[in-house]
Amino acid sequence: MSSGDVWIIGTSMTPFGRFEDKDLIDLASDAALDALTDADSTISDMGVVAVGNVYEANSHNGQRLQKQIGQTGVPVYNVVNACATGATAVRVALLSLAAGEADTALAVGAETMGKMGMLGEAAKSRDTKKQYSRKGRYGSVLKTEGILGTGLMPGVFAQAGTEYALRHGVTDVQFARVAQKNHAHSVLNPLAQYRKEFSLQEILEAEAIAYPNTLPMCCPTGDGAAAVVLVSDARLKTLDPDVRKRAVKISASVLTSDPWVESGQVQPDVNTLTRNAADAAYEQAGIGPQDIGLVELHDCFATAELIHYDNLRLCEPGGAGEFIDSGAPWREGKIPVNVSGGLLSKGHPIGATGIANLYEVTAHLRGEAGERQIEGAKVGLTHVIGLASACAVHILEARPTSGSEVG
Amino acid sequence: MPNSIGHRMPQQIPIVDYLVLSEPPHLEAHACTGCDALYFDRRNACAHCGGTEFTRKPLSNEGRVRAYTIVHRAAPSVPAPYTSVVVDLDDGGVVKANLLDVTGPEHIEPGMPVRLGTYVAGVDDDGVEAVAFGYRRQEDAA
């Protein structure tokens, strides 16, 4: 008898970085083909394909990918959902399996951001007469960025951090410790965009971007892709024992958006939808935060990681500052967080991020993470959040090693 | 307060239409008649309760700092550093703007009281002044 469980049987990610000789589809192909090989499958075995990407989302990248790796005629879903795009592509694939449309699925996330920089491209200079007129839903007569506060990502996540800090007494040193940890972790990850350790002092004294975040407390832009191959429980039972024993179960898959709050129109609330997603995921998986062996969470900025300790229930309410001070989220700690180096050093090619964190956790649950392996990890949690807003949480479990191997 | 509004000859226009240049200048929101949710922009329906009726509601010029950041690396053509604050307004509403005359975290305390102020943020080729708003610490503005 088969359950409604969905399993990861193959996964891959490209190194994250800047690849001038590869375009978006090259990267997507690399990740997809390698994930299929890892699954001992081919594109012909896949019943559905979902492809996530943000910056070229109107290019139908799923079909562009098929033209490079196999036009098999199966349904293709092109997915965009802010920084949760990759994770949402996985959910689309999973939902297709759950609906019985297919029993195998390939989900891919890819992005090329190149050197667009943290704040996007410079505005074009104008050569027409400057004449104020009210534009848009706010009737604004000139650009409000820098006049009515900031709405750019470094500032938004800095404000999310200071809101928590003003309430709970977190210091800039505690925020900086998050970056110290993730950069230290990244040294062990050959796929990370940056693999350089920084001292706490170096982080605190680095170029200020948006207080309290300095440059090493902000993730880089970059290029990369990641992929997973999913199968239904029934399909898994038909596969080779070598594939089955490396299979990782998706125990929870949850997507949320941001419920209305009064402050949301001026400062996105990144907390409520993360808490809602985490709580639903724990319930779906039937486990609690104390059961989690490792976490890959969305550290787009150091301030973000710290508040998500609380949002994902990894620490006592209000206790995220003490949590980092205690060493708990370090790889030797109680709940290792972002042992990949996180977005801060591994990188954040937006469409790939929500699948790359599944790749990381799967590697550990299979015991295949090499030098950075968290020994004995049986359960892992992944989290991404993008402003729009969208949040995805997945809980993965290693396949039990004894008693269940039949047929 | 510099650039007091209302008696100057140059034509003025508010930077956004939720800033009202009366005496004194203040903010006005669209308030949902069903649930009192406040919006600075035009909404098709209330994101909180789904209601479709709105009235204009003047907001308090005083409030308290809820969150902030000091932006050092700013968007192109924006002078830095500057301080962005999210302010909980007395009697309801949350607004974001610059905290004027402050660029150090040591000057910001939890729940610090602030008061709205206005200034000319730009002039177009016809001489029309765009009036912006920001907040000052009440101890500075007093």
Side-chain angles (χ1 to χ4, degrees):
Chain A
M1 185 185 134
S2 66
S3 68
D5 290 338
V6 171
W7 301 80
I8 294 174
I9 61 164
T11 184
S12 178
M13 68 175 274
T14 67
F16 284 180
R18 294 194 170 96
F19 306 106
E20 285 172 14
D21 56 336
K22 285 181 187 288
D23 66 18
L24 182 78
I25 304 304
D26 288 324
L27 293 166
S29 298
D30 287 352
L33 291 172
D34 196 53
L36 288 165
T37 301
D38 185 48
D40 193 27
S41 304
T42 70
I43 189 67
S44 305
D45 298 320
M46 297 297 106
V48 60
V49 175
V51 175
N53 170 264
V54 175
Y55 287 106
E56 298 176 47
N58 58 357
S59 301
H60 311 101
N61 297 303
Q63 288 85 347
R64 287 172 77 199
L65 175 64
Q66 282 185 306
K67 289 177 177 63
Q68 301 305 320
I69 69 169
Q71 289 178 256
T72 56
V74 301
V76 168
Y77 298 99
N78 294 293
V79 178
V80 57
N81 208 11
C83 293
T85 290
T88 306
V90 171
R91 273 191 54 72
V92 168
L94 182 143
L95 291 171
S96 181
L97 301 192
E101 180 179 56
D103 60 4
T104 56
L106 171 68
V108 184
E111 204 74 60
T112 55
M113 301 167 80
K115 292 182 178 292
M116 67 193 299
M118 193 185 300
L119 305 176
E121 289 167 26
K124 292 180 180 67
S125 63
R126 73 164 91 215
D127 48 10
T128 51
K129 185 180 176 187
K130 183 163 89 172
Q131 206 164 30
Y132 290 142
S133 64
R134 294 181 172 86
K135 292 193 180 68
R137 290 196 170 216
Y138 294 99
S140 49
V141 302
L142 44 80
K143 285 211 169 74
T144 56
E145 175 65 26
I147 296 175
L148 300 184
T150 185
L152 297 178
M153 291 301 109
V156 167
F157 281 95
Q159 283 170 171
T162 61
E163 180 174 1
Y164 189 88
L166 290 175
R167 196 169 295 163
H168 300 296
V170 175
T171 65
D172 50 3
V173 173
Q174 288 171 319
F175 285 123
R177 283 200 176 110
V178 170
Q180 183 190 17
K181 169 182 70 72
N182 291 356
H183 288 297
H185 286 171
S186 74
V187 174
L188 296 174
N189 187 355
L191 301 173
Q193 186 165 350
Y194 294 102
R195 303 176 68 188
K196 184 177 184 303
E197 204 165 346
F198 293 86
S199 71
L200 191 60
Q201 203 63 23
E202 284 174 315
I203 292 166
L204 286 164
E205 290 172 2
E207 181 194 349
I209 302 297
Y211 179 88
N213 289 325
T214 64
L215 188 58
M217 297 166 74
C218 304
C219 72
T221 57
D223 311 336
V228 287
V229 176
L230 307 182
V231 294
S232 66
D233 197 62
R235 176 71 172 213
L236 183 72
K237 286 186 163 58
T238 69
L239 299 177
D240 188 273
D242 287 341
V243 173
R244 292 207 302 270
K245 76 180 182 202
R246 292 173 70 242
V248 165
K249 186 168 87 170
I250 301 180
S251 299
S253 174
V254 176
L255 181 67
T256 57
S257 60
D258 48 336
W260 180 89
V261 292
E262 187 175 52
S263 56
Q265 64 176 331
V266 294
Q267 166 69 18
D269 170 16
V270 300
N271 303 312
T272 308
L273 77 168
T274 296
R275 287 166 175 263
N276 289 351
D279 291 347
Y282 288 129
E283 190 181 338
Q284 216 176 79
I287 61 166
Q290 70 283 354
D291 302 312
I292 300 289
L294 79 157
V295 173
E296 288 285 309
L297 66 74
H298 203 76
D299 59 323
C300 45
F301 297 89
T303 46
E305 171 160 329
L306 190 121
I307 63 177
H308 291 317
Y309 295 151
D310 204 327
N311 293 328
L312 296 174
R313 320 294 189 190
L314 305 181
C315 65
E316 294 296 317
E322 290 80 50
F323 187 73
I324 184 71
D325 284 348
S326 76
W330 282 76
R331 46 176 295 116
E332 304 80 11
K334 194 171 58 139
I335 306 179
V337 176
N338 287 334
V339 297
S340 67
L343 280 56
L344 289 182
S345 18
K346 183 176 69 178
H348 182 25
I350 296 177
T353 295
I355 301 185
N357 61 18
L358 293 172
Y359 165 87
E360 181 69 17
V361 169
T362 299
H364 288 272
L365 299 184
R366 286 168 157 183
E368 297 174 359
E371 264 197 295
R372 66 185 189 286
Q373 176 70 40
I374 298 299
E375 290 305 327
K378 295 292 175 215
V379 184
L381 181 147
T382 66
H383 158 258
V384 281
I385 177 172
L387 297 190
S389 297
C391 175
V393 170
H394 284 92
I395 294 175
L396 305 185
E397 282 186 72
R399 196 148 188 264
T401 46
S402 63
S404 59
E405 206 62 50
V406 285
Chain B
M1 198 179 298
N3 305 316
S4 77
I5 309 302
H7 307 290
R8 291 171 57 109
M9 286 311 288
Q11 200 191 339
Q12 297 192 321
I13 187 169
I15 181 169
V16 284
D17 59 18
Y18 57 92
L19 172 65
V20 178
L21 298 181
S22 60
E23 193 56 51
H26 64 280
L27 303 183
E28 256 184 37
H30 302 278
C32 172
T33 57
C35 73
D36 293 329
L38 302 173
Y39 300 99
F40 291 125
D41 56 341
R42 172 174 67 78
R43 298 285 170 126
N44 298 76
C46 175
H48 182 224
C49 77
T52 53
E53 304 256 330
F54 298 90
T55 58
R56 294 292 281 177
K57 182 186 174 185
L59 304 181
S60 171
N61 280 350
E62 298 186 346
R64 291 173 183 275
V65 170
R66 172 199 187 106
Y68 70 100
T69 183
I70 299 150
V71 177
H72 292 268
R73 194 192 279 190
S77 79
V78 172
Y82 66 91
T83 301
S84 170
V85 279
V86 179
V87 176
D88 285 322
L89 297 177
D90 297 350
D91 306 320
V94 184
V95 65
K96 185 179 66 178
N98 284 5
L99 182 63
L100 306 173
D101 311 326
V102 170
T103 52
E106 65 278 9
H107 300 298
I108 298 171
E109 290 155 21
M112 186 172 78
V114 293
R115 182 174 297 137
L116 182 123
T118 55
Y119 63 97
V120 173
V123 183
D124 76 5
D125 293 341
D126 294 333
V128 177
E129 296 178 343
V131 177
F133 67 93
Y135 289 86
R136 286 193 175 79
R137 302 194 301 171
Q138 284 191 18
E139 60 179 83
D140 297 341

